[in-house]
Amino acid sequence: MTKITGIIAEFNPFHKGHEYLLNQIDGLKIVAMSGNWMQRGELAIFDKWTRAEMALSCGADLVVELPVTVSVQAADFFASGAVDILKNLGITDLAFGSESAIDYNAIADIYETKETEMESFIKALPDQLSYPEKTQMMWQHFTGIKFDGNTPNHVLALAYAKAAAGKNINLQAIKRVGKFHSTKLSEGFASATALRQQLFSLTDEVGQSLFSLTDLSAIKNHVPSVILETYASPKTNWAAYFPLLQYKIRLDDHLENIFQVNQELSVRLKNAVKSAKNFDELVELVYTKRYTKARVRRLLTYILLNIPKEFNLPKEIHILGFSKAGQEILAQNRGKIISKIGQKPWDELTQKADEIYQLGNVDFKEQNFGRKPIIKREK
């Protein structure tokens, strides 16, 4: 049986730490990658096609897109949607980076055995606790796992274990190395956050590039050389969309019709938007112990993208790019995939979200209609 490993990623942006992860994996590698909107309510600094090309250049065999209603979700739902897509493509393994070296297969076995009991435990916890707090209390109660507040990839890895439970998927944790949470560029692997901050120190406030390739010297030690030039691609951040978000919140008298927005949050948002001068300030004004900053950023993304209370996930899987080996996987999955979006939509919510994303930089290309998968050129 051919080993096919799935990787769930954002690559926002792709860096040497991601290259290291791919290099630790044998066999065929399928990446289920967030499109233009990220799990914690951020935008992709580079568009999905640029990031897919980066991944293919550095070892991925197939890159497929997570629909926006999967990519912008809390950890459990993000993991569940992504694992289902990868399982549908025939993965045997799931690899991911983690700050911890625990046996995640054993964790998945515990969840498979005690799922009903564990979910009942969460429902019985006080409402004033955030969902991440409830989830961590569940894991600690049933497995003895401790949390120190600085292990976001470990928390996500537990969500992968939960999503993979009972699906006959082997979990392969790759121990993260270096200062992977630092917001500053340092020796070794830099974090995606540090790279984004560095790149936007060289752009104007709405993401228009102000630099040439010679200005990339500050990041060249942290980016695979084969994709360094790609870092000069058009980019964006929330500053480009904040006026649109302000307009939407002020105009819409029924924000509670948006996914996960309740009456309390609607009132808080309506009040906060009157004084917030930028996106980060709006998040600061709205978040509480119960409504974490990540959740508020996701809610603001749902509002901007007009995500409704009810939606259906697409049945087909959108392909962004493949290698020769990846093409063999596609040949075995005809009927499950969509390789070119034309008059027939793939996922209307994702496609509309991409139209809004394109407003963030005049140099962004069309994100869907007529775009064909990237074919990796073999050496």
Side-chain angles (χ1 to χ4, degrees):
M1 183 177 182
T2 302
K3 180 181 179 181
I4 305 176
T5 300
I7 302 101
I8 301 166
E10 293 183 330
F11 297 152
N12 189 35
F14 195 99
H15 54 66
K16 281 190 174 180
H18 298 130
E19 181 185 47
Y20 174 81
L21 172 66
L22 287 171
N23 286 341
Q24 302 307 301
I25 301 167
D26 298 324
L28 297 173
K29 306 162 193 177
I30 305 178
V31 176
M33 189 186 77
S34 298
N36 291 321
W37 302 87
M38 304 291 102
Q39 192 257 332
R40 294 174 66 84
E42 301 288 352
L43 293 111
I45 186 170
F46 301 117
D47 73 29
K48 60 189 181 184
W49 299 98
T50 301
R51 289 163 27 250
E53 184 174 11
M54 290 177 173
L56 289 167
S57 297
C58 294
D61 292 304
L62 175 62
V63 182
V64 302
E65 180 179 4
L66 298 179
V68 69
T69 45
V70 171
S71 69
V72 189
Q73 287 276 16
D76 280 359
F77 305 98
F78 171 81
S80 177
V83 168
D84 285 348
I85 288 171
L86 289 169
K87 181 63 177 177
N88 208 16
L89 289 170
I91 65 165
T92 58
D93 294 66
L94 181 69
F96 46 85
S98 176
E99 303 88 349
S100 175
I102 66 171
D103 183 357
Y104 289 98
N105 287 297
I107 298 297
D109 290 342
I110 291 172
Y111 186 79
E112 182 183 3
T113 303
K114 299 184 177 181
E115 177 181 357
T116 302
E117 188 179 351
M118 293 170 81
E119 293 302 322
S120 296
F121 179 87
I122 285 182
K123 291 178 182 178
L125 292 172
D127 287 341
Q128 60 264 33
L129 295 173
S130 68
Y131 186 77
E133 287 176 323
K134 292 180 179 181
T135 302
Q136 290 186 17
M137 290 174 69
M138 178 197 75
W139 288 121
Q140 186 167 323
H141 179 81
F142 286 93
T143 68
I145 292 172
K146 304 291 185 182
F147 296 87
D148 65 7
N150 194 35
T151 55
N153 287 86
H154 172 46
V155 172
L156 195 54
L158 290 170
Y160 295 151
K162 180 179 177 181
K167 293 185 171 67
N168 196 30
I169 297 173
N170 177 59
L171 302 176
Q172 181 184 355
I174 309 297
K175 189 74 165 63
R176 300 193 72 183
V177 295
K179 297 179 179 179
F180 37 78
H181 298 313
S182 175
T183 58
K184 297 181 180 179
L185 295 179
S186 57
E187 294 299 319
F189 296 139
S191 70
T193 300
L195 286 167
R196 290 195 301 271
Q197 289 186 358
Q198 177 65 29
L199 288 169
F200 275 102
S201 71
L202 301 172
T203 62
D204 66 18
E205 64 177 6
V206 293
Q208 307 299 325
S209 177
L210 299 177
F211 60 91
S212 66
L213 287 178
T214 57
D215 295 313
L216 296 178
S217 57
I219 64 170
K220 67 179 182 180
N221 292 332
H222 306 288
V223 178
S225 58
V226 69
I227 64 169
L228 182 60
E229 291 188 7
T230 315
Y231 265 63
S233 300
K235 54 188 65 63
T236 194
N237 66 5
W238 260 112
Y241 306 86
F242 185 63
L244 300 175
L245 179 63
Q246 287 177 299
Y247 175 79
K248 182 70 163 64
I249 294 173
R250 289 172 181 269
L251 178 70
D252 195 337
D253 292 328
H254 301 286
L255 289 177
E256 60 273 16
N257 291 333
I258 299 294
F259 182 55
Q260 292 190 352
V261 177
N262 56 32
Q263 185 64 34
E264 177 190 356
L265 283 165
S266 177
V267 172
R268 290 183 65 83
L269 287 163
K270 289 285 188 180
N271 290 331
V273 78
K274 295 175 184 177
S275 58
K277 296 180 178 60
N278 54 54
F279 181 80
D280 289 337
E281 191 170 318
L282 181 58
V283 173
E284 289 287 341
L285 290 170
V286 175
Y287 97 97
T288 64
K289 186 176 185 295
R290 182 182 179 189
Y291 300 117
T292 65
K293 289 183 182 180
R295 182 175 178 183
V296 172
R297 287 194 296 266
R298 282 192 290 268
L299 291 172
L300 294 173
T301 303
Y302 301 150
I303 291 169
L304 178 66
L305 303 182
N306 206 42
I307 303 296
K309 290 284 189 187
E310 303 291 336
F311 53 78
N312 295 315
L313 295 177
K315 295 179 180 179
E316 297 158 311
I317 301 169
H318 185 217
I319 307 303
L320 294 174
F322 55 86
S323 67
K324 183 176 180 180
Q327 191 171 20
E328 296 176 10
I329 300 174
L330 297 178
Q332 299 169 15
N333 288 279
R334 299 180 197 275
K336 297 180 183 178
I337 63 172
I338 182 167
S339 58
K340 183 179 178 180
I341 298 172
Q343 285 186 322
K344 179 185 176 183
W346 164 57
D347 178 47
E348 292 182 350
L349 289 177
T350 299
Q351 290 170 221
K352 184 62 66 176
D354 286 342
E355 289 181 29
I356 295 171
Y357 178 81
Q358 286 178 240
L359 299 175
N361 191 313
V362 296
D363 292 325
F364 279 144
K365 296 179 181 179
E366 165 62 43
Q367 291 296 293
N368 290 297
F369 294 102
R371 294 292 295 261
K372 297 179 181 179
I374 299 164
I375 301 175
K376 179 181 178 180
R377 294 188 295 272
E378 304 294 338
K379 295 180 181 179

